[in-house]
Amino acid sequence: MIKILKPRELFYKVNTKNMPFQTTGELEPLQGVIAQERALEAIRTGLVLKKRNFNIFACGLSGTGRTSTVKDLVEEQAAKEAVPDDWAIVTNFKHPERPFTLSFPAGQGIAFKKSMAEFVEDLKQELPKAFQSKEFQENIQNMLNEGLQEQGNLFKELSEKARELDFELKGTRSGIMTIPLHEGKELGNKEFSELPDEVKKEFEEKRKKLEPMVRDFIARTREIDLDTREKIREAQRHIATMVIDRSMEDLRRRFGQAEKVKIYLDMLMDYILENAGMFMKGMSEEDGEQDEEEWTKYEVNLLVDNSELKGAPVVFEDHPTYYNLVGKIEKRVENGVYMSDFTMIKAGSLLRANGGYLLLNAEEVLVHPFAWPALKKMLKTQKLKIEELGEQYSFLPTSGMKPEPMDLKCKVVMIGSSRIFSLLYEWDEDFRKLFQIKAEFDYEIPRNQDTVMQYARFMATTCQREDLRPVDRSGVAAVVEFGSRLVSSRTDMSVRFNEISNLLVEADLLAGREGVETISRRHVEEATERREQRSSLWREKMFRNIERDIVLIDTMGHRVGQVNGLAVYDIGDLTFGKPIRLTVETFRGKGGIVNVERESKLSGNIFNKSVYVIRGLLGRWFGLNHELSLNINLVVEQSYGGIDGDSASVAELAAIISSLADVPINQGLAVTGSVNQKGDVQPIGGVNEKIEGFFEVCRQRGLTGRQGVIIPKANLENLMLKKDVVNAVRRDRFHVWAVDRVEDAMELLMGMPVGSPDENGVFPEDSLFGRVEAKLGLFEGLEGEKNGNSGDQKTPEGADSKT
């Protein structure tokens, strides 16, 4: 069935009479998005499901409101939830390379950090006071005196025994000196050497008896020294314990209920008791640097402070590198060497979002090395471990800080395209497990009175946010029509709101130049034209080549085996249609259809498939009575790049029939459409751009009133043509036909009925298909004549046959 389209069928205009407002300034701003119930329900479900692996992937085209909608819903849910714990990291006094991680109720982390600083400052004051107190000093002096007294008594006792053996004892720095006595006098080395040998020998015997006594004395005095030191140490420990207990009482009372904090405070106390002398030093310039490093051990590195939050945290990480996600251990250079300590450990966005929500751009995560594997690992184990990349990927083991892993309960919401979701789902098994919730945003919505009103409210929101002039009813209608054209639909509208917002910004500029207070249709339409003009350089160059006959396209006359097809080009942000010339030559043979584009490796799989479909359709029409012994050479002329798609299959079939029937095709017409093996014309993409592309060529050369485009009937609801095309149709200077059968398209193109077969499958001789059958019969006759002549050849009688 052939349908010639009327102007109202080429563009679906918005009825402004149904709009209950004069400008968008009267409307309430839109909260949320328009008609995305499926995605919203998925997100809400994912947010309330606190089970493991129910992370969310929000996918769809950019500009559909994915990110802003996700943020709004996440923040709304987070506000209802409890504030999670603070996280801090402190020294592990037994193993400094493995710092402790501590968690506190929200707001207690900063309190613990402050209390620890006050505790250390208090000890700096109180411990020296206690150690320097008169009572403590007297106690220590008594202990020293008791030790000295006991050592003196032992020395006195030893001295008496030595005199009995004729020796005098003297204490020196190097030990105890034994001096011989003779007749009550001390003997020097000279006097001793002058003694008779018998006397010397007697002294040596006595000395041997004395030496064990001296050794025993030295051992006992050493024990007394050690015992005195231990008593002093115990006294110091006792008084230090009293001071520390008193100073730590507040810490234990406020924070000691948590088991890990209690363990840390016990370790802290033991370390201070062992190093109490540190608090006696002061901060002299000589050992200031060493002391400063020692004081660092008592600090608290507060990684996450949630004291100011009113609900669960919501973190949007816009630069998700490995370190920004997981955290990092910073370093400083000292004497040419990299150094670090626990105070230089920094939290990443995963820890900051712990107990809440982390929003990520999927593409950003995937392009940063190691970020995606690290994220998956943390979500699988539900443990966050801050470590250097070298720990995981270095061939040689390295020594460095290895903080204790922290419990991770964070819901991740990734935002990306549907293509990224499909790739991850297909190739990454972990992704399938970890992201159980898919929230897919549609790029179009139904166009009805309710959604048009929501569109208008969105415009009101944009005008308010961007400080633009309000849009009147005609301007709203123009924007809605622009939204319908974006999705090539009379019944739907685009929800790529960034496109709408950008259009309004430009329309506002034009309204300002005009000095009016509202944005109207003329401003929106001019802004649309300007946006297209900025991107149309390559389009204009291509049409200029057609105008100059560099690219050959006929728009008048008739040609056999030649037809105007239509193609769509996508160049960056520009999409446009352009006519292409398809030609066919048919001749006797058995080669079938030769797709020159395929042989030249310039065609895609879908284009090649459509050629095979045509072969099946030809067999359906003519294969019953004919062998189809022919060659068909099919060419897309002046095609120097790749071509794909099946929208030219109706044009290709028409050119083949024209060549076989020797019936010319009207060059004032162009045709687009896909065909199946049953002859049904199927819908194609880019129908508006294709019609406008052929119209532009015809307008360049002059509209005759006999030019037009044939499209599939199924594409009627996609028609949102430009105003100049609609006006040309209204003036009867251009035409658009819709067909649902390929035979109808061929009758329009060649002005001859295809014919209906009789009971034997034979078409009338004066029909298009009858002429095709005649040509096929001619090919078969010539082929049979060739084979017959070859078979009748004989060797003349009497002649010799030689091989």
Side-chain angles (χ1 to χ4, degrees):
M1 177 181 177
I2 300 173
K3 179 179 176 63
I4 185 165
L5 302 183
K6 298 177 181 179
R8 68 173 181 273
E9 297 176 289
L10 304 179
F11 185 85
Y12 187 40
K13 202 168 183 179
V14 176
N15 186 359
T16 57
K17 294 179 181 179
N18 296 328
M19 296 181 182
F21 59 88
Q22 294 301 317
T23 73
T24 56
E26 305 168 18
L27 301 177
E28 288 292 326
L30 179 70
Q31 302 296 327
V33 292
I34 303 174
Q36 296 282 6
E37 286 77 12
R38 178 188 290 104
L40 297 180
E41 179 59 29
I43 294 172
R44 291 190 180 105
T45 300
L47 293 178
V48 298
L49 276 173
K50 301 303 181 184
K51 301 298 182 182
R52 182 180 180 182
N53 296 335
F54 278 86
N55 298 294
I56 303 169
F57 194 103
C59 59
L61 290 178
S62 175
T64 54
R66 298 171 309 176
T67 303
S68 58
T69 301
V70 166
K71 281 184 177 179
D72 291 344
L73 291 177
V74 170
E75 287 173 355
E76 179 185 336
Q77 177 63 31
K80 303 174 186 176
E81 298 179 5
V83 180
D85 289 348
D86 297 336
W87 284 92
I89 197 162
V90 293
T91 297
N92 182 340
F93 294 103
K94 292 183 178 179
H95 304 284
E97 75 281 0
R98 297 201 295 271
F100 273 157
T101 55
L102 304 175
S103 63
F104 301 90
Q108 292 295 299
I110 189 70
F112 181 75
K113 179 182 176 74
K114 183 179 179 181
S115 295
M116 274 294 296
E118 293 173 351
F119 166 71
V120 172
E121 288 301 318
D122 187 54
L123 288 186
K124 287 181 181 180
Q125 301 297 324
E126 296 302 320
L127 275 179
K129 285 182 181 179
F131 286 140
Q132 294 168 8
S133 66
K134 181 178 180 181
E135 180 182 356
F136 180 74
Q137 291 295 327
E138 288 178 352
N139 187 27
I140 297 298
Q141 190 60 51
N142 289 336
M143 293 179 189
L144 291 173
N145 290 340
E146 287 176 4
L148 291 174
Q149 181 66 38
E150 190 174 353
Q151 289 178 343
N153 292 336
L154 289 176
F155 189 78
K156 183 178 180 181
E157 182 182 341
L158 178 63
S159 296
E160 291 175 354
K161 292 180 179 179
R163 289 190 188 97
E164 292 175 1
L165 296 173
D166 295 324
F167 281 96
E168 184 68 33
L169 299 180
K170 287 187 178 181
T172 66
R173 290 186 177 183
S174 58
I176 294 177
M177 180 182 296
T178 56
I179 302 172
L181 294 174
H182 185 65
E183 296 177 353
K185 295 181 180 181
E186 297 180 1
L187 297 178
N189 291 335
K190 183 178 180 182
E191 289 88 351
F192 184 79
S193 61
E194 293 174 352
L195 293 174
D197 291 340
E198 298 84 23
V199 177
K200 289 180 182 179
K201 186 174 181 181
E202 184 179 349
F203 270 110
E204 288 299 325
E205 292 296 329
K206 292 178 180 180
R207 189 190 300 274
K208 288 179 182 179
K209 293 179 180 180
L210 180 61
E211 283 179 354
M213 299 179 189
V214 173
R215 287 197 296 270
D216 181 62
F217 168 78
I218 293 173
R220 291 181 66 184
T221 55
R222 187 178 295 114
E223 288 177 2
I224 292 170
D225 282 338
L226 293 174
D227 186 55
T228 302
R229 291 178 188 175
E230 183 60 29
K231 287 179 180 179
I232 293 173
R233 192 178 295 113
E234 284 297 324
Q236 291 174 334
R237 188 178 183 89
H238 175 73
I239 194 169
T241 300
M242 291 176 59
V243 173
I244 296 169
D245 272 340
R246 186 170 59 249
S247 297
M248 193 178 279
E249 182 180 357
D250 183 60
L251 280 171
R252 292 190 183 278
R253 178 179 56 81
R254 295 176 62 188
F255 310 104
Q257 293 79 13
E259 184 63 26
K260 287 192 68 175
V261 177
K262 181 177 181 299
I263 293 173
Y264 168 71
L265 293 177
D266 290 342
M267 291 178 60
L268 171 66
M269 184 169 185
D270 290 342
Y271 184 80
I272 294 175
L273 290 174
E274 292 295 326
N275 298 271
M278 172 68 189
F279 291 85
M280 304 296 294
K281 286 183 180 180
M283 296 295 291
S284 63
E285 292 184 3
E286 302 85 58
D287 58 3
E289 184 177 342
Q290 181 180 357
D291 286 346
E292 185 64 36
E293 184 177 345
E294 185 68 24
W295 291 123
T296 300
K297 294 179 180 180
Y298 303 105
E299 292 183 13
V300 176
N301 181 4
L302 187 59
L303 297 176
V304 177
D305 177 16
N306 290 325
S307 59
E308 297 182 359
L309 286 183
K310 302 300 182 184
V314 178
V315 178
F316 185 83
E317 179 56 72
D318 58 356
H319 189 56
T321 63
Y322 172 87
Y323 290 119
N324 285 351
L325 278 176
V326 177
K328 58 186 174 181
I329 303 173
E330 295 180 341
K331 292 180 173 61
R332 62 179 180 272
V333 179
E334 294 182 4
N335 301 320
V337 179
Y338 283 106
M339 304 293 290
S340 185
D341 59 62
F342 78 97
T343 63
M344 303 180 76
I345 298 172
K346 306 299 179 183
S349 50
L350 272 169
L351 186 57
R352 294 199 306 274
N354 200 9
Y357 303 91
L358 175 62
L359 279 58
L360 298 169
N361 181 285
E363 185 176 351
E364 291 292 326
V365 175
L366 294 173
V367 299
H368 285 101
F370 312 113
W372 177 238
L375 177 63
K376 291 192 297 180
K377 179 182 177 182
M378 306 296 174
L379 293 178
K380 282 193 294 184
T381 61
Q382 294 191 307
K383 292 287 185 181
L384 177 62
K385 187 176 182 182
I386 301 175
E387 59 184 347
E388 294 286 349
L389 277 171
E391 291 291 320
Q392 302 179 46
Y393 298 102
S394 176
F395 290 105
L396 297 175
T398 58
S399 60
M401 305 290 291
K402 297 179 181 179
E404 189 179 25
M406 290 163 275
D407 293 334
L408 180 66
K409 292 183 179 179
C410 170
K411 186 173 290 292
V412 174
V413 183
M414 289 183 70
I415 303 167
S417 67
S418 298
R419 181 172 178 270
I420 290 179
F421 177 88
S422 299
L423 288 172
L424 289 172
Y425 193 87
E426 180 69 23
W427 296 104
D428 194 325
E429 186 176 343
D430 292 330
F431 175 79
R432 278 177 269 173
K433 296 177 181 177
L434 295 171
F435 288 83
Q436 293 289 320
I437 301 294
K438 177 185 180 184
E440 191 160 19
F441 284 77
D442 200 351
Y443 63 92
E444 60 184 7
I445 57 173
R447 175 174 154 181
N448 53 49
Q449 190 170 349
D450 289 339
T451 54
V452 167
M453 276 299 299
Q454 292 184 65
Y455 232 60
R457 290 179 59 198
F458 170 76
M459 295 180 217
T461 304
T462 302
C463 292
Q464 187 180 66
R465 184 181 64 244
E466 301 293 339
D467 194 23
L468 308 178
R469 292 166 178 79
V471 186
D472 67 17
R473 294 195 294 182
S474 69
V476 170
V479 173
V480 171
E481 291 158 7
F482 173 79
S484 288
R485 182 172 167 82
L486 283 178
V487 294
S488 297
S489 175
R490 298 165 58 184
T491 58
D492 295 321
M493 302 182 295
S494 172
V495 287
R496 299 188 69 177
F497 292 124
N498 59 337
E499 296 284 346
I500 306 301
S501 298
N502 294 337
L503 179 66
L504 288 175
V505 170
E506 292 197 39
D508 178 74
L509 175 65
L510 297 173
R513 289 177 178 176
E514 196 175 297
V516 296
E517 296 300 320
T518 58
I519 300 170
S520 62
R521 175 180 285 276
R522 66 180 180 276
H523 305 124
V524 174
E525 290 179 347
E526 184 179 351
T528 304
E529 291 171 4
R530 285 170 175 261
R531 286 164 63 85
E532 184 177 329
Q533 178 66 24
R534 289 197 297 268
S535 302
S536 62
L537 175 64
W538 285 105
R539 175 181 178 275
E540 291 178 2
K541 286 180 177 292
M542 288 189 176
F543 280 97
R544 193 178 302 130
N545 286 338
I546 295 174
E547 186 179 10
R548 296 174 180 177
D549 288 331
I550 297 172
V551 174
L552 302 178
I553 298 292
D554 289 336
T555 56
M556 292 183 287
H558 295 74
R559 297 287 296 272
V560 173
Q562 177 178 301
V563 67
N564 291 322
L566 296 168
V568 171
Y569 292 80
D570 285 308
I571 303 176
D573 60 341
L574 176 65
T575 301
F576 64 94
K578 185 181 80 71
I580 55 174
R581 173 178 288 181
L582 293 101
T583 62
V584 169
E585 292 295 336
T586 56
F587 45 91
R588 185 183 65 184
K590 294 183 179 295
I593 302 177
V594 177
N595 176 5
V596 175
E597 307 307 309
R598 179 177 180 274
E599 298 299 321
S600 305
K601 298 182 180 179
L602 291 176
S603 60
N605 293 332
I606 299 176
F607 185 90
N608 297 335
K609 174 189 173 184
S610 68
V611 175
Y612 295 127
V613 171
I614 290 172
R615 185 169 66 181
L617 188 52
L618 290 174
R620 180 173 181 269
W621 283 334
F622 309 113
L624 182 63
N625 297 318
H626 302 278
E627 292 185 7
L628 300 184
S629 299
L630 76 164
N631 286 334
I632 301 173
N633 219 50
L634 173 64
V635 179
V636 179
E637 301 291 356
Q638 293 184 287
S639 171
Y640 307 112
I643 187 170
D644 203 2
D646 61 356
S647 64
S649 54
V650 171
E652 293 162 357
L653 187 57
I656 291 171
I657 296 299
S658 169
S659 178
L660 288 172
D662 287 324
V663 175
I665 292 176
N666 184 354
Q667 299 301 295
L669 304 182
V671 61
T672 183
S674 168
V675 66
N676 62 25
Q677 287 194 123
K678 302 300 183 181
D680 299 315
V681 177
Q682 303 169 142
I684 46 81
V687 65
N688 293 301
E689 290 80 4
K690 290 176 178 179
I691 295 173
E692 291 161 0
F694 188 68
F695 172 81
E696 181 64 26
V697 174
C698 293
R699 182 168 62 177
Q700 286 177 350
R701 295 177 174 178
L703 295 173
T704 65
R706 295 184 296 276
Q707 296 153 328
V709 177
I710 303 167
I711 66 170
K713 192 174 182 180
N715 281 116
L716 286 179
E717 68 171 27
N718 303 118
L719 292 178
M720 287 293 292
L721 292 168
K722 290 182 179 178
K723 185 186 298 184
D724 50 359
V725 181
V726 177
N727 289 338
V729 172
R730 182 175 290 112
R731 296 194 308 269
D732 208 29
R733 305 298 295 168
F734 194 77
H735 308 282
V736 180
W737 294 272
V739 298
D740 53 12
R741 292 288 303 173
V742 70
E743 294 92 340
D744 298 331
M746 288 189 286
E747 289 184 1
L748 278 171
L749 289 167
M750 288 172 266
M752 179 182 291
V754 297
S756 299
D758 59 19
E759 63 275 7
N760 297 317
V762 178
F763 292 92
E765 291 182 2
D766 59 346
S767 69
L768 192 60
F769 283 2
R771 294 173 67 95
V772 172
E773 283 194 316
K775 178 64 73 68
L776 293 175
L778 176 62
F779 286 167
E780 289 172 356
L782 291 173
E783 187 68 22
E785 182 181 341
K786 175 184 175 183
N787 292 337
N789 290 340
S790 176
D792 290 341
Q793 290 180 358
K794 296 182 180 180
T795 302
E797 186 176 351
D800 294 330
S801 178
K802 296 182 179 179
T803 303

